[in-house]
Amino acid sequence: MRTPHQILLRPRITEKGSMMAETRPVVVFEVARDANKSEIKNAVQAAFNVEVKDVRTMLVRGKIKRRGTSIGKRSNWKKAIVTLGEGQAIDFFGGSAV
């Protein structure tokens, strides 16, 4: 069995994710490509001690990038949008606003 840190690679703090979080308790993570929804749910609950209501996942295609004459491609990755229970929150930056 994998640890939560092997499933949850990093939080994705973006403008779109922040706008979603203003209206409902939602957090966006980059997760392992082979992780399924139940593994992601259990990992978030274990790592952050919160109640998870729903998990939505999607594969994000890597962009084609070019530098001079050489062309390359970024890796594909998996995104998970995790809906938390009422009154639940995850504070990634810790501490109060100054």
Side-chain angles (χ1 to χ4, degrees):
M1 186 168 152
R2 296 188 286 184
T3 65
H5 299 293
Q6 291 172 328
I7 295 171
L8 305 173
L9 302 180
R10 64 186 59 88
R12 300 292 293 196
I13 311 288
T14 61
E15 185 175 357
K16 186 174 183 177
S18 298
M19 287 173 52
M20 286 191 312
E22 288 177 1
T23 58
R24 56 189 181 266
V26 171
V27 182
V28 181
F29 289 99
E30 182 177 336
V31 297
R33 288 203 44 209
D34 59 343
N36 59 34
K37 291 182 181 187
S38 60
E39 286 178 330
I40 296 167
K41 178 179 178 177
N42 293 334
V44 171
Q45 290 180 151
F48 299 104
N49 197 22
V50 293
E51 174 194 350
V52 175
K53 283 178 126 179
D54 185 40
V55 177
R56 293 179 290 161
T57 61
M58 62 197 76
L59 288 174
V60 180
R61 291 185 180 181
K63 295 180 179 181
I64 302 229
K65 292 294 181 179
R66 179 181 156 162
R67 180 172 292 183
T69 57
S70 61
I71 297 175
K73 181 180 176 293
R74 290 187 179 167
S75 298
N76 298 337
W77 56 282
K78 190 171 194 175
K79 178 176 14 179
I81 301 173
V82 179
T83 304
L84 304 175
E86 283 298 318
Q88 302 282 318
I90 297 174
D91 185 20
F92 292 113
F93 299 110
S96 60
V98 176

Coordinates of all heavy atoms in Angstrom, one line a residue:
M1 N 0.8 -1.2 0.0 CA 0.0 0.0 0.0 C 0.9 1.3 0.0 O 1.9 1.3 0.7 CB -0.9 0.0 1.2 CG -1.9 1.1 1.2 SD -3.1 0.8 2.5 CE -3.6 2.5 2.8
R2 N 0.5 2.2 -0.8 CA 1.3 3.5 -0.9 C 0.9 4.4 0.2 O -0.2 4.5 0.7 CB 1.0 4.1 -2.2 CG 1.5 3.2 -3.4 CD 1.4 3.9 -4.7 NE 0.1 4.0 -5.1 CZ -0.3 4.6 -6.3 NH1 0.6 5.0 -7.1 NH2 -1.5 4.6 -6.7
T3 N 1.8 5.3 0.6 CA 1.6 6.3 1.5 C 0.8 7.5 0.9 O 0.9 7.6 -0.4 CB 2.9 6.9 2.1 OG1 3.7 7.5 1.1 CG2 3.7 5.7 2.8
P4 N 0.2 8.4 1.6 CA -0.5 9.5 1.0 C 0.4 10.4 0.2 O 0.0 11.0 -0.8 CB -1.1 10.3 2.2 CG -1.2 9.2 3.3 CD -0.1 8.3 3.1
H5 N 1.7 10.5 0.6 CA 2.6 11.4 -0.1 C 3.1 10.8 -1.4 O 3.6 11.5 -2.2 CB 3.8 11.7 0.8 CG 3.4 12.4 2.1 ND1 2.9 13.7 2.1 CD2 3.4 12.0 3.4 CE1 2.6 14.1 3.3 NE2 2.9 13.1 4.1
Q6 N 2.9 9.5 -1.6 CA 3.2 8.9 -2.9 C 2.0 9.1 -3.9 O 2.2 9.0 -5.1 CB 3.5 7.4 -2.7 CG 4.8 7.1 -2.0 CD 5.0 5.7 -1.7 OE1 4.0 5.0 -1.4 NE2 6.2 5.2 -1.7
I7 N 0.8 9.3 -3.3 CA -0.4 9.5 -4.2 C -0.6 11.0 -4.4 O -0.8 11.4 -5.6 CB -1.6 8.9 -3.5 CG1 -1.4 7.4 -3.4 CG2 -2.9 9.2 -4.2 CD1 -2.5 6.7 -2.5
L8 N -0.5 11.8 -3.4 CA -0.7 13.3 -3.6 C 0.7 13.9 -3.8 O 1.5 14.0 -2.9 CB -1.3 13.9 -2.3 CG -2.6 13.3 -1.8 CD1 -3.0 13.9 -0.5 CD2 -3.7 13.5 -2.9
L9 N 1.0 14.3 -5.0 CA 2.3 14.8 -5.4 C 2.5 16.2 -4.9 O 3.5 16.6 -4.4 CB 2.6 14.6 -6.9 CG 2.4 13.2 -7.4 CD1 2.7 13.2 -8.9 CD2 3.4 12.3 -6.7
R10 N 1.5 17.1 -5.3 CA 1.6 18.5 -4.9 C 0.2 19.1 -5.0 O -0.5 18.7 -5.9 CB 2.7 19.2 -5.7 CG 2.4 19.3 -7.1 CD 3.5 20.0 -7.9 NE 4.8 19.2 -7.8 CZ 5.1 18.2 -8.6 NH1 4.4 17.8 -9.5 NH2 6.3 17.6 -8.4
P11 N 0.0 20.2 -4.2 CA -1.3 20.9 -4.5 C -1.1 21.9 -5.7 O 0.1 22.3 -5.9 CB -1.4 21.8 -3.2 CG -0.1 21.9 -2.6 CD 0.6 20.6 -3.0
R12 N -2.1 22.1 -6.4 CA -2.0 23.0 -7.6 C -2.8 24.3 -7.2 O -4.0 24.4 -7.2 CB -2.7 22.4 -8.8 CG -2.1 21.1 -9.3 CD -0.7 21.3 -9.8 NE -0.8 22.0 -11.1 CZ 0.2 22.1 -11.9 NH1 1.3 21.5 -11.7 NH2 0.1 22.8 -13.0
I13 N -2.0 25.3 -6.8 CA -2.5 26.6 -6.4 C -2.6 27.5 -7.6 O -1.5 28.0 -8.1 CB -1.7 27.2 -5.3 CG1 -1.4 26.3 -4.2 CG2 -2.3 28.5 -4.8 CD1 -2.5 25.9 -3.3
T14 N -3.7 27.6 -8.2 CA -3.9 28.4 -9.4 C -5.0 29.4 -9.2 O -5.8 29.3 -8.3 CB -4.2 27.5 -10.7 OG1 -5.5 26.8 -10.4 CG2 -3.1 26.5 -10.9
E15 N -5.2 30.3 -10.2 CA -6.2 31.3 -10.1 C -7.6 30.6 -10.2 O -8.5 30.9 -9.5 CB -6.0 32.3 -11.2 CG -7.0 33.5 -11.1 CD -6.7 34.5 -12.2 OE1 -5.7 34.4 -12.9 OE2 -7.5 35.5 -12.2
K16 N -7.7 29.7 -11.1 CA -9.0 29.0 -11.3 C -9.3 28.1 -10.1 O -10.5 28.1 -9.7 CB -8.9 28.0 -12.6 CG -10.1 27.4 -13.0 CD -10.0 26.6 -14.3 CE -11.3 26.0 -14.7 NZ -11.1 25.3 -16.0
G17 N -8.4 27.5 -9.5 CA -8.6 26.7 -8.3 C -9.0 27.6 -7.1 O -9.9 27.2 -6.3
S18 N -8.4 28.7 -7.0 CA -8.7 29.7 -5.9 C -10.2 30.2 -6.1 O -10.9 30.4 -5.1 CB -7.7 30.8 -5.9 OG -6.5 30.4 -5.7
M19 N -10.6 30.5 -7.4 CA -11.9 30.9 -7.6 C -13.0 29.9 -7.2 O -14.0 30.2 -6.7 CB -12.1 31.4 -9.1 CG -11.4 32.7 -9.4 SD -11.4 33.1 -11.1 CE -13.1 33.0 -11.6
M20 N -12.6 28.6 -7.5 CA -13.5 27.5 -7.2 C -13.6 27.4 -5.6 O -14.7 27.1 -5.1 CB -13.1 26.2 -7.7 CG -13.3 26.0 -9.2 SD -13.0 24.3 -9.8 CE -11.5 23.9 -9.1
A21 N -12.5 27.6 -4.9 CA -12.5 27.5 -3.5 C -13.3 28.6 -2.8 O -13.6 28.4 -1.6 CB -11.0 27.4 -3.0
E22 N -13.5 29.7 -3.4 CA -14.2 30.8 -2.8 C -15.7 30.4 -2.7 O -16.4 30.9 -1.8 CB -14.1 32.1 -3.7 CG -12.7 32.7 -3.6 CD -12.6 33.9 -4.5 OE1 -13.6 34.3 -5.1 OE2 -11.5 34.5 -4.5
T23 N -16.3 29.6 -3.6 CA -17.7 29.3 -3.6 C -18.0 28.0 -2.9 O -19.1 27.9 -2.3 CB -18.2 29.2 -5.1 OG1 -17.5 28.2 -5.7 CG2 -18.1 30.6 -5.8
R24 N -17.1 27.1 -2.9 CA -17.3 25.8 -2.2 C -16.0 25.2 -1.7 O -15.0 25.6 -2.2 CB -18.0 24.8 -3.1 CG -17.3 24.6 -4.4 CD -18.2 23.7 -5.4 NE -17.5 23.5 -6.6 CZ -17.6 24.2 -7.7 NH1 -18.4 25.3 -7.7 NH2 -16.9 23.9 -8.8
P25 N -16.0 24.3 -0.7 CA -14.8 23.8 -0.2 C -14.1 22.8 -1.1 O -14.4 21.6 -1.1 CB -15.2 23.1 1.1 CG -16.6 22.8 0.9 CD -17.2 23.8 0.0
V26 N -13.2 23.3 -2.0 CA -12.6 22.5 -3.0 C -11.1 22.7 -3.0 O -10.6 23.8 -2.8 CB -13.1 22.9 -4.4 CG1 -12.3 22.3 -5.5 CG2 -14.6 22.5 -4.6
V27 N -10.3 21.6 -3.2 CA -8.9 21.7 -3.3 C -8.4 20.9 -4.5 O -9.0 19.9 -4.8 CB -8.2 21.1 -2.0 CG1 -6.7 21.3 -2.0 CG2 -8.8 21.8 -0.7
V28 N -7.4 21.4 -5.2 CA -6.9 20.8 -6.4 C -5.5 20.2 -6.1 O -4.7 20.9 -5.6 CB -6.9 21.8 -7.6 CG1 -6.4 21.1 -8.8 CG2 -8.3 22.4 -7.8
F29 N -5.3 19.0 -6.5 CA -4.0 18.3 -6.3 C -3.5 17.7 -7.6 O -4.3 17.3 -8.5 CB -4.1 17.1 -5.3 CG -4.3 17.5 -3.9 CD1 -5.6 17.5 -3.3 CD2 -3.3 17.9 -3.1 CE1 -5.8 17.8 -2.0 CE2 -3.4 18.2 -1.8 CZ -4.7 18.2 -1.2
E30 N -2.2 17.7 -7.8 CA -1.6 16.8 -8.8 C -1.3 15.5 -8.1 O -0.7 15.4 -7.0 CB -0.3 17.5 -9.3 CG 0.4 16.7 -10.4 CD 1.6 17.3 -10.9 OE1 1.8 18.5 -10.8 OE2 2.5 16.6 -11.5
V31 N -1.8 14.4 -8.7 CA -1.7 13.1 -8.1 C -1.0 12.1 -9.0 O -0.7 12.4 -10.2 CB -3.1 12.5 -7.8 CG1 -3.8 13.4 -6.8 CG2 -4.0 12.4 -9.0
A32 N -0.6 11.0 -8.5 CA 0.1 9.9 -9.3 C -0.9 9.5 -10.4 O -2.1 9.4 -10.2 CB 0.4 8.8 -8.4
R33 N -0.3 9.2 -11.6 CA -1.1 8.9 -12.8 C -1.9 7.6 -12.6 O -3.0 7.5 -13.2 CB -0.3 8.9 -14.0 CG 0.2 10.2 -14.4 CD 0.5 10.4 -15.8 NE -0.4 9.8 -16.8 CZ 0.0 9.4 -18.0 NH1 1.2 9.5 -18.3 NH2 -0.9 8.8 -18.8
D34 N -1.4 6.7 -11.8 CA -2.1 5.4 -11.6 C -3.0 5.4 -10.4 O -3.6 4.3 -10.1 CB -1.1 4.3 -11.6 CG -0.1 4.4 -10.5 OD1 0.0 5.5 -9.9 OD2 0.5 3.4 -10.2
A35 N -3.2 6.5 -9.7 CA -4.1 6.5 -8.5 C -5.5 6.6 -9.0 O -5.9 7.3 -9.9 CB -3.7 7.7 -7.7
N36 N -6.4 5.9 -8.2 CA -7.8 6.0 -8.5 C -8.5 6.9 -7.5 O -7.9 7.3 -6.5 CB -8.5 4.6 -8.6 CG -8.3 3.8 -7.3 OD1 -8.3 4.4 -6.2 ND2 -8.2 2.5 -7.4
K37 N -9.8 7.1 -7.7 CA -10.5 8.0 -6.8 C -10.6 7.6 -5.4 O -10.4 8.5 -4.5 CB -12.0 8.2 -7.3 CG -12.0 9.0 -8.7 CD -13.4 9.1 -9.1 CE -13.5 9.9 -10.5 NZ -14.8 10.2 -10.8
S38 N -10.8 6.3 -5.1 CA -10.8 5.9 -3.7 C -9.4 6.0 -3.0 O -9.4 6.4 -1.8 CB -11.3 4.5 -3.6 OG -10.5 3.6 -4.3
E39 N -8.4 5.8 -3.7 CA -7.0 6.0 -3.2 C -6.8 7.5 -2.9 O -6.2 7.8 -1.8 CB -5.9 5.5 -4.1 CG -5.8 4.0 -4.2 CD -4.8 3.6 -5.2 OE1 -4.5 4.3 -6.2 OE2 -4.2 2.5 -5.0
I40 N -7.2 8.3 -3.8 CA -7.0 9.8 -3.6 C -7.8 10.2 -2.4 O -7.3 11.0 -1.5 CB -7.4 10.5 -4.8 CG1 -6.5 10.2 -6.0 CG2 -7.4 12.0 -4.6 CD1 -6.9 10.6 -7.3
K41 N -9.1 9.8 -2.2 CA -9.9 10.1 -1.1 C -9.3 9.7 0.2 O -9.2 10.5 1.2 CB -11.3 9.5 -1.3 CG -12.2 9.8 -0.1 CD -13.6 9.1 -0.4 CE -14.5 9.4 0.8 NZ -15.8 8.8 0.6
N42 N -8.8 8.5 0.3 CA -8.2 8.0 1.5 C -6.9 8.7 1.8 O -6.6 9.0 3.0 CB -7.9 6.5 1.4 CG -9.2 5.7 1.4 OD1 -10.3 6.1 1.9 ND2 -9.2 4.5 0.7
A43 N -6.1 9.1 0.8 CA -4.9 9.8 1.0 C -5.1 11.2 1.6 O -4.4 11.6 2.5 CB -4.1 9.9 -0.3
V44 N -6.1 11.9 1.0 CA -6.4 13.3 1.5 C -6.9 13.2 3.0 O -6.5 14.0 3.8 CB -7.4 14.0 0.6 CG1 -7.9 15.3 1.2 CG2 -6.8 14.2 -0.8
Q45 N -7.8 12.2 3.3 CA -8.3 12.1 4.6 C -7.2 11.8 5.6 O -7.2 12.3 6.7 CB -9.4 11.1 4.7 CG -10.7 11.5 4.0 CD -11.8 10.5 4.0 OE1 -12.9 10.9 4.0 NE2 -11.5 9.2 4.0
A46 N -6.3 10.9 5.2 CA -5.2 10.5 6.1 C -4.2 11.7 6.3 O -3.7 11.9 7.4 CB -4.5 9.3 5.6
A47 N -3.8 12.4 5.2 CA -2.8 13.4 5.3 C -3.2 14.7 6.0 O -2.5 15.3 6.7 CB -2.3 13.7 3.9
F48 N -4.5 15.1 5.8 CA -4.9 16.4 6.3 C -6.0 16.3 7.3 O -6.5 17.3 7.8 CB -5.4 17.2 5.1 CG -4.4 17.5 4.1 CD1 -4.3 16.8 2.9 CD2 -3.3 18.4 4.3 CE1 -3.4 17.0 1.9 CE2 -2.4 18.6 3.4 CZ -2.4 18.0 2.2
N49 N -6.5 15.1 7.7 CA -7.5 14.9 8.7 C -8.8 15.7 8.4 O -9.2 16.4 9.3 CB -6.9 15.2 10.1 CG -7.8 14.6 11.2 OD1 -8.5 13.7 11.0 ND2 -7.7 15.2 12.4
V50 N -9.3 15.5 7.2 CA -10.5 16.2 6.8 C -11.5 15.2 6.2 O -11.1 14.1 5.9 CB -10.3 17.3 5.8 CG1 -9.5 18.5 6.3 CG2 -9.6 16.8 4.5
E51 N -12.7 15.5 6.1 CA -13.7 14.7 5.5 C -13.8 15.0 4.0 O -14.0 16.2 3.6 CB -15.1 14.9 6.1 CG -16.2 14.2 5.5 CD -17.6 14.7 6.0 OE1 -17.7 15.5 6.9 OE2 -18.6 14.3 5.3
V52 N -13.8 14.0 3.1 CA -13.8 14.2 1.7 C -15.2 13.7 1.2 O -15.6 12.6 1.5 CB -12.7 13.4 1.0 CG1 -12.9 13.5 -0.5 CG2 -11.3 14.0 1.4
K53 N -15.9 14.6 0.5 CA -17.2 14.2 -0.1 C -17.1 13.6 -1.5 O -17.8 12.6 -1.8 CB -18.1 15.5 -0.1 CG -18.7 15.9 1.2 CD -19.5 17.1 0.9 CE -20.9 17.0 1.5 NZ -21.7 18.2 1.3
D54 N -16.3 14.2 -2.3 CA -16.2 13.8 -3.7 C -14.9 14.1 -4.3 O -14.1 15.0 -3.9 CB -17.3 14.7 -4.5 CG -17.4 14.2 -5.9 OD1 -17.4 13.0 -6.2 OD2 -17.5 15.1 -6.8
V55 N -14.5 13.2 -5.3 CA -13.2 13.4 -6.0 C -13.5 13.3 -7.5 O -14.1 12.3 -7.9 CB -12.2 12.3 -5.6 CG1 -10.9 12.4 -6.4 CG2 -11.9 12.3 -4.1
R56 N -13.0 14.3 -8.2 CA -13.1 14.3 -9.7 C -11.7 14.3 -10.2 O -10.9 15.0 -9.7 CB -13.9 15.5 -10.2 CG -15.4 15.5 -9.8 CD -16.1 16.7 -10.2 NE -15.6 17.8 -9.5 CZ -15.8 19.1 -9.9 NH1 -16.4 19.3 -11.0 NH2 -15.4 20.1 -9.1
T57 N -11.4 13.4 -11.2 CA -10.1 13.3 -11.7 C -10.1 13.6 -13.2 O -11.1 13.4 -13.9 CB -9.5 11.9 -11.5 OG1 -10.3 11.0 -12.1 CG2 -9.4 11.6 -10.0
M58 N -8.9 14.0 -13.7 CA -8.8 14.2 -15.2 C -7.3 14.1 -15.5 O -6.4 14.4 -14.7 CB -9.3 15.6 -15.6 CG -8.7 16.8 -15.0 SD -9.6 18.3 -15.1 CE -10.8 18.0 -13.9
L59 N -7.0 13.6 -16.7 CA -5.7 13.6 -17.2 C -5.4 14.9 -18.0 O -6.2 15.3 -18.9 CB -5.5 12.4 -18.2 CG -5.4 11.0 -17.5 CD1 -5.4 9.9 -18.5 CD2 -4.2 11.0 -16.6
V60 N -4.3 15.5 -17.7 CA -3.9 16.8 -18.4 C -2.8 16.4 -19.3 O -1.8 15.9 -18.9 CB -3.5 17.8 -17.4 CG1 -3.1 19.1 -18.1 CG2 -4.6 18.1 -16.4
R61 N -3.0 16.8 -20.6 CA -2.0 16.5 -21.6 C -0.8 17.5 -21.5 O -1.0 18.7 -21.2 CB -2.5 16.6 -23.0 CG -3.5 15.5 -23.3 CD -3.9 15.6 -24.8 NE -4.8 14.6 -25.1 CZ -5.4 14.4 -26.3 NH1 -5.0 15.3 -27.3 NH2 -6.2 13.4 -26.5
G62 N 0.4 17.0 -21.6 CA 1.6 17.9 -21.6 C 1.6 18.7 -22.8 O 1.3 18.3 -23.9
K63 N 2.1 19.9 -22.7 CA 2.2 20.9 -23.8 C 3.5 20.6 -24.6 O 4.5 20.2 -24.1 CB 2.3 22.3 -23.3 CG 1.0 22.8 -22.6 CD 1.2 24.2 -22.1 CE 0.0 24.7 -21.4 NZ 0.1 26.1 -21.0
I64 N 3.4 20.9 -25.9 CA 4.5 20.8 -26.8 C 5.3 22.1 -26.7 O 4.7 23.2 -26.8 CB 4.0 20.6 -28.3 CG1 3.2 19.4 -28.3 CG2 5.2 20.7 -29.2 CD1 3.5 18.4 -29.4
K65 N 6.6 22.0 -26.4 CA 7.4 23.2 -26.2 C 8.5 23.2 -27.2 O 9.0 22.2 -27.6 CB 8.0 23.2 -24.8 CG 6.9 23.4 -23.7 CD 6.3 24.8 -23.8 CE 5.3 25.1 -22.8 NZ 4.8 26.4 -22.9
R66 N 9.0 24.4 -27.5 CA 10.0 24.5 -28.5 C 11.1 25.5 -28.0 O 10.7 26.6 -27.5 CB 9.4 25.0 -29.8 CG 10.4 25.2 -30.9 CD 9.7 25.7 -32.1 NE 10.7 26.4 -32.9 CZ 10.5 26.6 -34.2 NH1 9.4 26.3 -34.8 NH2 11.4 27.2 -34.9
R67 N 12.3 25.1 -28.2 CA 13.4 26.0 -27.9 C 14.4 26.0 -29.1 O 15.1 25.0 -29.3 CB 14.2 25.6 -26.6 CG 15.3 26.5 -26.3 CD 15.9 26.2 -25.0 NE 14.9 26.6 -24.0 CZ 15.2 26.5 -22.7 NH1 16.3 26.0 -22.2 NH2 14.3 26.8 -21.8
G68 N 14.4 27.1 -29.9 CA 15.2 27.1 -31.1 C 14.6 26.1 -32.1 O 13.4 26.1 -32.4
T69 N 15.5 25.2 -32.6 CA 15.0 24.2 -33.6 C 14.6 22.9 -32.9 O 14.1 22.1 -33.6 CB 16.2 23.9 -34.6 OG1 17.3 23.5 -33.8 CG2 16.5 25.2 -35.4
S70 N 14.9 22.7 -31.7 CA 14.5 21.5 -31.0 C 13.1 21.6 -30.4 O 12.7 22.6 -29.9 CB 15.5 21.1 -29.9 OG 15.5 22.1 -28.9
I71 N 12.3 20.5 -30.6 CA 10.9 20.4 -30.1 C 10.8 19.3 -29.1 O 11.4 18.2 -29.2 CB 10.0 20.2 -31.3 CG1 10.0 21.3 -32.3 CG2 8.6 20.0 -30.7 CD1 9.2 21.1 -33.5
G72 N 10.2 19.6 -28.0 CA 10.0 18.6 -26.9 C 8.6 18.6 -26.4 O 7.7 19.5 -26.8
K73 N 8.2 17.7 -25.5 CA 6.9 17.7 -24.9 C 7.0 17.5 -23.4 O 7.8 16.7 -22.9 CB 6.1 16.5 -25.5 CG 4.7 16.4 -25.1 CD 4.1 15.2 -25.7 CE 2.7 14.9 -25.2 NZ 2.6 14.5 -23.8
R74 N 6.2 18.2 -22.7 CA 6.1 18.1 -21.3 C 5.3 16.8 -21.0 O 4.5 16.3 -21.8 CB 5.4 19.2 -20.6 CG 6.2 20.5 -20.6 CD 5.5 21.6 -19.8 NE 6.3 22.8 -19.8 CZ 5.9 24.0 -19.4 NH1 4.6 24.1 -19.0 NH2 6.6 25.0 -19.5
S75 N 5.5 16.2 -19.8 CA 4.9 15.0 -19.4 C 3.4 15.2 -19.2 O 3.0 16.3 -18.7 CB 5.5 14.4 -18.2 OG 6.8 14.1 -18.4
N76 N 2.6 14.2 -19.4 CA 1.2 14.2 -19.1 C 1.1 14.0 -17.5 O 1.9 13.4 -16.9 CB 0.4 13.1 -19.7 CG 0.4 13.2 -21.2 OD1 0.6 14.2 -21.8 ND2 0.3 12.1 -21.9
W77 N 0.0 14.6 -16.9 CA -0.1 14.5 -15.5 C -1.6 14.4 -15.1 O -2.5 14.7 -16.0 CB 0.6 15.6 -14.7 CG 0.1 17.0 -15.1 CD1 0.5 17.7 -16.2 CD2 -0.8 17.8 -14.4 NE1 -0.1 18.9 -16.3 CE2 -0.9 19.0 -15.2 CE3 -1.5 17.7 -13.3 CZ2 -1.7 20.1 -14.8 CZ3 -2.3 18.8 -12.9 CH2 -2.4 20.0 -13.6
K78 N -1.9 13.9 -13.9 CA -3.3 13.7 -13.5 C -3.7 14.8 -12.4 O -2.9 15.0 -11.5 CB -3.4 12.3 -12.9 CG -4.9 11.9 -12.7 CD -4.9 10.4 -12.4 CE -6.3 9.9 -12.4 NZ -6.4 8.4 -12.2
K79 N -4.8 15.4 -12.6 CA -5.3 16.4 -11.7 C -6.5 15.8 -10.9 O -7.4 15.1 -11.6 CB -5.7 17.6 -12.5 CG -6.3 18.7 -11.6 CD -6.7 20.0 -12.2 CE -6.8 20.2 -13.6 NZ -7.2 21.6 -14.0
A80 N -6.6 16.1 -9.6 CA -7.8 15.6 -8.8 C -8.4 16.9 -8.2 O -7.7 17.6 -7.5 CB -7.3 14.6 -7.8
I81 N -9.7 17.0 -8.4 CA -10.4 18.1 -7.7 C -11.2 17.5 -6.6 O -12.1 16.6 -6.8 CB -11.4 18.8 -8.7 CG1 -10.6 19.4 -9.8 CG2 -12.2 19.9 -8.0 CD1 -11.4 20.0 -10.9
V82 N -10.8 17.8 -5.3 CA -11.3 17.1 -4.1 C -12.3 18.1 -3.5 O -11.9 19.2 -3.1 CB -10.2 16.8 -3.2 CG1 -10.7 16.2 -1.9 CG2 -9.2 15.9 -3.8
T83 N -13.5 17.7 -3.3 CA -14.6 18.4 -2.6 C -14.6 18.0 -1.1 O -14.7 16.8 -0.8 CB -15.9 18.2 -3.2 OG1 -15.9 18.5 -4.6 CG2 -17.0 19.1 -2.5
L84 N -14.4 18.9 -0.2 CA -14.4 18.6 1.2 C -15.7 18.8 1.8 O -16.6 19.4 1.2 CB -13.4 19.6 1.9 CG -12.0 19.6 1.4 CD1 -11.1 20.7 2.1 CD2 -11.3 18.3 1.5
G85 N -15.9 18.3 3.0 CA -17.2 18.4 3.7 C -17.4 19.8 4.2 O -16.5 20.7 4.2
E86 N -18.7 20.1 4.6 CA -19.0 21.4 5.1 C -18.1 21.8 6.3 O -17.9 21.0 7.2 CB -20.5 21.5 5.5 CG -21.4 21.5 4.3 CD -21.3 22.8 3.5 OE1 -21.1 23.8 4.1 OE2 -21.3 22.6 2.3
G87 N -17.6 23.0 6.2 CA -16.8 23.6 7.3 C -15.4 23.0 7.3 O -14.6 23.4 8.2
Q88 N -15.0 22.2 6.4 CA -13.6 21.7 6.3 C -12.8 22.6 5.4 O -13.3 23.2 4.5 CB -13.7 20.3 5.7 CG -14.5 19.3 6.4 CD -13.9 18.8 7.7 OE1 -12.7 18.5 7.7 NE2 -14.6 18.7 8.7
A89 N -11.5 22.6 5.7 CA -10.6 23.4 4.9 C -9.2 22.9 5.1 O -8.9 22.3 6.1 CB -10.6 24.9 5.3
I90 N -8.3 23.1 4.1 CA -6.9 22.8 4.2 C -6.1 24.0 4.0 O -6.3 24.7 3.0 CB -6.5 21.7 3.1 CG1 -7.3 20.4 3.3 CG2 -5.0 21.5 3.1 CD1 -7.1 19.4 2.2
D91 N -5.3 24.4 5.0 CA -4.5 25.6 4.9 C -3.0 25.2 4.5 O -2.3 24.7 5.3 CB -4.5 26.3 6.2 CG -3.8 27.6 6.2 OD1 -3.6 28.2 5.1 OD2 -3.4 28.2 7.3
F92 N -2.7 25.5 3.3 CA -1.3 25.1 2.8 C -0.2 26.0 3.2 O 0.9 25.7 3.4 CB -1.3 25.0 1.3 CG -2.1 23.9 0.7 CD1 -3.3 24.1 0.0 CD2 -1.7 22.6 1.0 CE1 -4.0 23.1 -0.5 CE2 -2.5 21.5 0.5 CZ -3.6 21.8 -0.3
F93 N -0.6 27.3 3.5 CA 0.4 28.3 3.8 C 0.6 28.5 5.3 O 1.5 29.1 5.7 CB 0.0 29.6 3.1 CG 0.0 29.5 1.6 CD1 -1.2 29.6 1.0 CD2 1.1 29.3 0.9 CE1 -1.3 29.5 -0.4 CE2 1.1 29.1 -0.5 CZ -0.1 29.2 -1.1
G94 N -0.4 28.0 6.1 CA -0.2 28.0 7.6 C -0.1 29.4 8.2 O 0.5 30.3 7.6
G95 N -0.8 29.6 9.2 CA -0.7 30.9 9.9 C -1.8 31.9 9.5 O -2.6 31.6 8.6
S96 N -1.8 33.0 10.1 CA -2.9 34.0 9.8 C -2.3 35.0 8.8 O -1.1 35.1 8.6 CB -3.3 34.7 11.1 OG -2.1 35.4 11.7
A97 N -3.3 35.7 8.2 CA -2.9 36.7 7.2 C -2.3 37.9 8.0 O -2.9 38.4 9.0 CB -4.1 37.1 6.4
V98 N -1.3 38.5 7.4 CA -0.6 39.6 8.1 C -0.8 40.9 7.2 O -0.8 40.9 6.1 CB 0.9 39.4 8.3 CG1 1.5 40.6 8.8 CG2 1.1 38.2 9.1

